Amino acid sequence: MLKKILRSSSCRGGLGKNRKEMIVAVIFFCVCLVTIECGVRVTEAEEYFKPFNVTYDHRALILDGKRRILISAGIHYPRATPEMWPDLIAKSKEGGADVIETYVFWNGHEPVRGQYNFEGRYDLVKFVKLAAAHGLYFFLRIGPYACAEWNFGGFPVWLRDIPGIEFRTNNEPFKEEMKRFVSKMVNMMREEMLFSWQGGPIILLQIENEYGNIESSYGKGGKEYVKWAAKMALSLGAGVPWVMCRQQDAPYDIIDTCNAYYCDGFKPNSHNKPTIWTENWDGWYTQWGEKLPHRPVEDLAFAVARFFQRGGSFQNYYMYFGGTNFGRTAGGPLQITSYDYDAPIDEYGLLHEPKWGHLKDLHAALKLCEPALVTADSPTYIKLGPKQEAHVYQVDVHPNGLNLSSFESPSICSAFLANIDEKREATVTFRGRRRYTIPPWSVSVLPDCTNTVFNTAKVRAQTSVKLVEFDLPTVSNIFPAQQSRDHNGIWEHLNVTKDQSDYLWYSTRISVSDSDILFWEENDVRPKLTIDGVRDILRVFVNGQLIGNAVGHWIKVVQSLQFLPGYNDLTLLTQTVGLQNYGAFIEKDGAGIRGTIKITGFKNGDIDLSKSLWTHQVGLQGEFLKLYSEENENSGWVELTPDGIPSTFTWYKAYFDVPGGLDPVALDLNSMGKGQAWVNGHHIGRYWTRVSPKSGCKQVCDYRGAYDSDKCSTNCGKPTQTLYHVPRSWLRASNNLLVILEETGGNPFEISVKVHLSSIICAQVSESNHPPLQKLVNADLIREEVSANNMIPELQLYCQEGHTISSITFASFGTPRGSCQNFSRGNCHAPSSMSIVSKECQGKNSCSIKILDTVFGGDLCPGVEKTLSVEARCTSLLSVSFFQEAVSSS
């Protein structure tokens, strides 16, 4: 509860002469926080693998003389904290990944030319070593252009100020800077002994990124640049292969690779290169005011299986963990702070089910096929029907006695049966022996060419429903602006701010005569401000009052004005919401105002303001004074009352305690407008309650058919993002400082702190489902040493770490209907379902139940395929009681 309200004098704000009140309200919550430190210790100069060479042929990468089929997990190290890295890497490995992949973020590592940052979230060496310590390989995409929906595509903003520079073409200033940074990264990895031939994990590197998409924009210079970039990369002596993604004209010694939703039809530009999928888009990015994309796991698994079915050898999930655009790292235009990406591991580091579990099963099935996939040079194609086909990988002996794989068997056979019909299942006869029923738009995997162990459309993994719990009201305070400069004409936004702030103020004075006022009144018109182009946000103030806003990417603005007789202050505020991260000539995109700016409608004609005297002012005074810092001891904060909430450009601060346990923490800013947030001095990112369109979301998502980012959208008619991740490592048990910069208005009294957890878990498994893949991985399916018991399907449930299954809310073995959170009994139901499931699962972190009639008391419905559907609740092991106490501000 609030105890005391304080108010004091204000500081000069971003609107020049106008004064704003500074406000604070403080709330204190006492809880017990249990901190558990875990992770893998990384030591200096450690040899993680026996040194090995990496080469390749037409079929696959060759590691230490052996072809490999590899699954890669994309994790961007700055989008998580170092404390999160060990768990993310461990979950990737558990999910079946062999490799960790990341871009390198130049602007994070060299924010000022010649001044490098490899600390904290940018400690790349530590991240690579952690992957190695978990026994995983590493794919380092140096670029140095990243795109990645990252601010300015990863380029440092200072790069655009180098005289004569033009990005990503045959331009000497750019090539000099690019070579300098790429060389530094390669040399750093070499000095840290991180390449495979040194006993490190790095097996693959990337130069440039998706340049083929824009190469034609640069003409001959683009073609020369591609050749130069390849030659430069190879000259650095990294000792492992280099790739270029989406680059059909990649030179001979560089592997060209695929980025797309589907890459099963992709072939590299030379028969001597393997087929590599550098970006499998398992979701999509999101912009403010847009719906949330969702890619069904059935379609994703179908795409992966088809890729390996048709000759692929290396596949990377973009993203396996997406994470968070902390601070001002989100790209543009208008990328949101969350980079969840609908990935198998969600933004908070929790498993996203059923996506993670279903892919884990797929990866296990692929590993069972690996002996045949790496030994056979190419598959045998068999047409099974109009839209059904098989690819068979079979060898009787190793060709020419060569040991191309780590698997030795006199005869190996694995097969993929695909039904690419988008509507109908198909029953096919394979190899004249058995009939197989394949659901529409799916692939069945047969590691021994006989037994189906996995089908991409049959999801055995549980569904986890994420909820946010434990509201903690927080609250409040204010302050705005900074130094200014006078100049004739409008300066380009980035030339002034150097991207040190989102905000640039332009102020000028307009003289209005009595005759102008009379002219407007007699003609019932108003003067209008016209600007040729604006990006991303423009706010227009007249005499300190906000009168209009515009949002867009180089949009024309026409804004009606209301002047008083005499001198009027016209103030324009331009704001960036992430710099352009994709496309040709991004260094020329700029920000702020472009073209002519004028006021129309005056009695004596238009007023051209393009050459007028303007005062330019960068940022907010609160930024300059670092009001978000814990070290800031400014005494100007005053108490906020519910009826005194200010509107625009207000700073708030409050203190809060955090819930106990290990569950991830989020700020709920649904009550606010737009702005930025800090916790204990850490910049959480931008927030904005911009609402998505009401239409475009389907109640049921049909996985069948080709996917695009609009196909299965969710969250229509709601703010794009309301919850903002606050990493546990940035928090302490009590007295956490929250600072909010609110730009447009909102109610800070309704801000709350919540925990993010999987409270509801569901699973649905039928008698026709495939058995748990891990049992088959541990057995020898190829030599037919699998017991009948291992082929029985099972329903498996688990709660996240630190939680147990506290109750079973639904259980039915028979013919249950519906889906998670909407199950109901069917005509066939085993009365013992609830008791059996409760006895097996309740009070445990995980459980498993075989799908057998005998488990549930016999066959109650002969001749009917039966299913077990279960819904359960998970509860934290910690029983936490909370109390709150108000304290006065300093």
Side-chain angles (χ1 to χ4, degrees):
M1 298 291 293
L2 285 173
K3 179 178 180 181
K4 183 181 291 185
I5 305 287
L6 303 176
R7 183 181 298 274
S8 72
S9 60
S10 60
C11 262
R12 183 172 183 266
L15 303 184
K17 295 181 179 179
N18 293 300
R19 303 177 68 82
K20 297 285 182 179
E21 293 179 335
M22 293 166 292
I23 303 163
V24 68
V26 181
I27 283 192
F28 185 80
F29 299 87
C30 293
V31 300
C32 174
L33 173 65
V34 178
T35 302
I36 299 176
E37 294 185 3
C38 60
V40 178
R41 182 178 298 276
V42 178
T43 59
E44 295 295 327
E46 184 172 349
E47 185 178 285
Y48 299 98
F49 301 93
K50 179 182 177 181
F52 63 96
N53 290 325
V54 181
T55 58
Y56 58 86
D57 62 10
H58 71 283
R59 183 67 189 96
L61 291 179
I62 300 173
L63 278 56
D64 197 21
K66 301 177 179 64
R67 288 177 181 164
R68 289 299 310 274
I69 297 299
L70 296 170
I71 301 294
S72 176
I75 301 175
H76 294 162
Y77 51 102
R79 284 175 161 145
T81 62
E83 292 79 7
M84 295 173 65
W85 293 344
D87 185 59
L88 296 174
I89 293 169
K91 287 174 177 173
S92 300
K93 182 176 182 178
E94 185 184 355
D98 309 290
V99 182
I100 297 296
E101 170 273 337
T102 187
Y103 279 126
V104 173
F105 298 89
W106 188 357
N107 53 12
H109 290 301
E110 194 177 5
V112 178
R113 190 177 188 276
Q115 297 180 21
Y116 295 98
N117 173 27
F118 291 97
E119 304 296 326
R121 291 186 294 115
Y122 293 96
D123 192 344
L124 175 59
V125 167
K126 179 178 181 178
F127 184 66
V128 176
K129 288 182 176 181
L130 281 169
H134 282 81
L136 299 179
Y137 302 122
F138 208 91
F139 175 21
L140 188 63
R141 303 172 71 188
I142 298 177
Y145 167 70
C147 184
E149 292 71 60
W150 186 268
N151 193 50
F152 211 33
F155 286 131
V157 172
W158 56 259
L159 193 65
R160 70 194 292 273
D161 295 329
I162 292 176
I165 199 165
E166 188 175 0
F167 290 9
R168 304 177 74 193
T169 189
N170 193 28
N171 173 270
E172 290 304 321
F174 178 76
K175 291 193 297 182
E176 179 181 343
E177 293 297 323
M178 175 174 167
K179 181 177 181 180
R180 181 178 59 82
F181 182 75
V182 173
S183 299
K184 182 172 184 64
M185 299 310 301
V186 171
N187 291 337
M188 178 181 291
M189 298 302 112
R190 184 188 293 111
E191 290 166 4
E192 295 288 342
M193 306 288 288
L194 293 176
F195 288 112
S196 64
W197 51 273
Q198 299 174 297
I202 299 176
I203 61 172
L204 200 61
L205 296 171
Q206 179 175 304
I207 193 70
E208 249 299 333
N209 185 52
E210 294 187 337
Y211 188 70
N213 294 355
I214 63 168
E215 182 179 338
S216 61
S217 301
Y218 296 95
K220 182 179 179 181
K223 293 185 178 298
E224 293 300 318
Y225 169 67
V226 170
K227 296 175 183 177
W228 170 85
K231 184 177 180 181
M232 181 271 290
L234 293 169
S235 73
L236 299 178
V240 298
W242 288 84
V243 306
M244 282 183 168
C245 60
R246 285 201 163 187
Q247 196 65 52
Q248 292 183 347
D249 60 350
Y252 178 79
D253 290 334
I254 303 289
I255 305 170
D256 57 308
T257 64
C258 183
N259 290 2
Y261 289 120
Y262 307 94
C263 283
D264 54 288
F266 171 80
K267 296 298 177 186
N269 62 14
S270 168
H271 181 67
N272 298 317
K273 301 177 183 179
T275 302
I276 293 178
W277 193 355
T278 37
E279 289 188 14
N280 178 358
W281 302 328
D282 49 26
W284 200 240
Y285 60 80
T286 309
Q287 295 175 308
W288 298 110
E290 294 298 327
K291 301 165 290 185
L292 300 181
H294 165 64
R295 186 176 186 185
V297 69
E298 298 93 331
D299 174 70
L300 177 58
F302 172 76
V304 175
R306 286 287 285 167
F307 175 71
F308 288 106
Q309 174 180 2
R310 300 182 66 187
S313 62
F314 182 111
Q315 184 262 170
N316 175 63
Y317 290 103
Y318 189 100
M319 302 292 300
Y320 201 75
F321 163 81
T324 306
N325 293 315
F326 295 115
R328 299 171 55 251
T329 60
L334 306 180
Q335 299 292 338
I336 70 171
T337 297
S338 171
Y339 201 66
D340 183 86
Y341 216 84
D342 197 36
I345 302 176
D346 75 10
E347 176 184 3
Y348 298 84
L350 302 181
L351 300 183
H352 181 186
E353 295 286 24
K355 187 167 280 190
W356 183 86
H358 193 51
L359 293 177
K360 177 183 179 180
D361 287 347
L362 170 60
H363 302 155
L366 292 171
K367 288 303 176 186
L368 290 171
C369 299
E370 188 172 9
L373 294 178
V374 298
T375 307
D377 274 341
S378 60
T380 299
Y381 173 80
I382 302 174
K383 188 172 180 61
L384 301 175
K387 293 185 177 181
Q388 295 77 38
E389 60 189 28
H391 289 73
V392 181
Y393 292 83
Q394 183 173 15
V395 289
D396 293 327
V397 293
H398 289 311
N400 301 321
L402 295 177
N403 182 22
L404 292 179
S405 82
S406 57
F407 311 94
E408 297 182 3
S409 173
S411 180
I412 304 173
C413 184
S414 293
F416 298 81
L417 311 185
N419 178 13
I420 57 177
D421 192 312
E422 299 179 14
K423 302 297 182 183
R424 302 174 183 83
E425 71 175 18
T427 300
V428 300
T429 301
F430 175 57
R431 305 184 93 186
R433 292 182 293 181
R434 293 180 59 173
R435 292 175 66 79
Y436 298 83
T437 298
I438 313 171
W441 199 253
S442 75
V443 177
S444 291
V445 181
L446 289 63
D448 60 352
C449 284
T450 301
N451 294 293
T452 301
V453 301
F454 181 86
N455 177 271
T456 59
K458 293 186 176 183
V459 180
R460 188 183 60 84
Q462 73 177 34
T463 296
S464 298
V465 181
K466 303 295 196 323
L467 299 177
V468 287
E469 297 181 355
F470 186 79
D471 289 4
L472 283 173
T474 28
V475 206
S476 8
N477 186 292
I478 152 176
F479 220 18
Q482 201 190 41
Q483 73 269 23
S484 61
R485 314 174 193 175
D486 293 336
H487 188 268
N488 286 326
I490 292 286
W491 280 5
E492 195 274 334
H493 184 109
L494 287 181
N495 286 340
V496 183
T497 67
K498 305 302 180 186
D499 198 36
Q500 297 303 302
S501 172
D502 283 353
Y503 314 102
L504 179 61
W505 305 84
Y506 307 83
S507 298
T508 192
R509 182 162 287 184
I510 308 296
S511 177
V512 177
S513 67
D514 291 338
S515 61
D516 288 318
I517 298 292
L518 182 61
F519 174 77
W520 297 330
E521 291 175 349
E522 289 177 345
N523 293 277
D524 194 24
V525 296
R526 294 174 64 183
K528 289 184 172 61
L529 173 71
T530 302
I531 304 175
D532 286 348
V534 168
R535 176 200 192 277
D536 295 317
I537 296 178
L538 172 74
R539 305 195 192 281
V540 181
F541 301 82
V542 174
N543 297 323
Q545 298 300 311
L546 177 65
I547 64 167
N549 301 282
V551 179
H553 189 80
W554 296 124
I555 58 171
K556 184 173 182 177
V557 173
V558 179
Q559 173 66 50
S560 295
L561 303 173
Q562 183 72 51
F563 288 133
L564 300 173
Y567 287 107
N568 292 259
D569 290 324
L570 173 64
T571 300
L572 309 178
L573 171 62
T574 58
Q575 296 177 231
T576 52
V577 189
L579 302 186
Q580 188 73 15
N581 60 255
Y582 177 77
F585 310 110
I586 65 171
E587 73 277 14
K588 300 176 182 178
D589 186 64
I593 293 171
R594 176 183 289 175
T596 301
I597 175 171
K598 63 183 178 180
I599 299 178
T600 61
F602 274 78
K603 180 179 179 181
N604 295 327
D606 298 346
I607 300 176
D608 187 351
L609 299 177
S610 303
K611 303 298 182 183
S612 296
L613 182 66
W614 290 86
T615 298
H616 296 73
Q617 185 168 283
V618 177
L620 307 178
Q621 189 170 350
E623 292 179 299
F624 179 69
L625 295 176
K626 297 184 179 179
L627 292 185
Y628 48 81
S629 171
E630 291 189 278
E631 287 71 40
N632 185 282
E633 297 181 357
N634 185 281
S635 60
W637 301 96
V638 298
E639 185 181 13
L640 176 67
T641 59
D643 59 353
I645 298 175
S647 54
T648 61
F649 291 92
T650 304
W651 291 83
Y652 300 93
K653 79 173 180 180
Y655 293 88
F656 66 93
D657 290 0
V658 295
L662 301 175
D663 297 323
V665 176
L667 278 177
D668 187 341
L669 299 176
N670 191 42
S671 66
M672 302 304 287
K674 181 186 179 300
Q676 300 180 52
W678 292 261
V679 171
N680 295 331
H682 297 281
H683 197 171
I684 302 303
R686 301 183 183 96
Y687 67 85
W688 197 356
T689 49
R690 199 177 191 206
V691 176
S692 67
K694 293 182 179 180
S695 60
C697 295
K698 296 180 180 179
Q699 190 170 4
V700 177
C701 172
D702 188 347
Y703 77 89
R704 299 174 298 179
Y707 176 78
D708 63 67
S709 60
D710 291 324
K711 181 176 180 181
C712 291
S713 299
T714 63
N715 203 55
C716 286
K718 301 177 182 178
T720 305
Q721 184 175 356
T722 58
L723 298 175
Y724 297 82
H725 183 206
V726 185
R728 280 272 183 181
S729 59
W730 291 358
L731 295 167
R732 44 185 175 258
S734 62
N735 212 34
N736 293 279
L737 172 64
L738 169 64
V739 176
I740 296 286
L741 165 61
E742 172 56 45
E743 300 171 7
T744 64
N747 186 354
F749 287 102
E750 294 183 9
I751 295 174
S752 58
V753 180
K754 298 182 176 180
V755 292
H756 183 80
L757 68 158
S758 300
S759 294
I760 299 173
I761 56 175
C762 305
Q764 189 172 39
V765 179
S766 301
E767 291 175 315
S768 63
N769 272 82
H770 306 300
L773 267 294
Q774 293 307 311
K775 291 191 176 182
L776 299 184
V777 170
N778 296 330
D780 191 342
L781 181 69
I782 303 302
R783 292 188 174 88
E784 300 182 355
E785 295 174 1
V786 180
S787 68
N789 191 52
N790 282 338
M791 297 302 290
I792 298 172
E794 295 180 10
L795 181 144
Q796 297 177 335
L797 291 173
Y798 73 91
C799 296
Q800 67 192 58
E801 182 182 359
H803 295 72
T804 59
I805 300 171
S806 57
S807 63
I808 305 299
T809 56
F810 180 88
S812 176
F813 179 72
T815 56
R817 294 185 287 262
S819 56
C820 188
Q821 295 186 282
N822 192 34
F823 286 132
S824 62
R825 294 181 183 179
N827 295 328
C828 177
H829 168 72
S832 62
S833 300
M834 180 67 78
S835 61
I836 288 173
V837 173
S838 296
K839 180 180 179 181
E840 191 66 34
C841 298
Q842 202 160 326
K844 300 178 181 178
N845 173 259
S846 62
C847 62
S848 178
I849 302 170
K850 292 186 180 297
I851 310 302
L852 287 173
D853 289 328
T854 54
V855 172
F856 294 92
D859 190 352
L860 301 177
C861 313
V864 175
E865 181 185 18
K866 286 169 278 297
T867 296
L868 174 60
S869 296
V870 176
E871 181 175 313
R873 284 198 168 269
C874 296
T875 303
S876 173
L877 291 171
L878 294 175
S879 177
V880 183
S881 62
F882 300 98
F883 65 94
Q884 57 187 47
E885 174 186 339
V887 297
S888 61
S889 66
S890 58

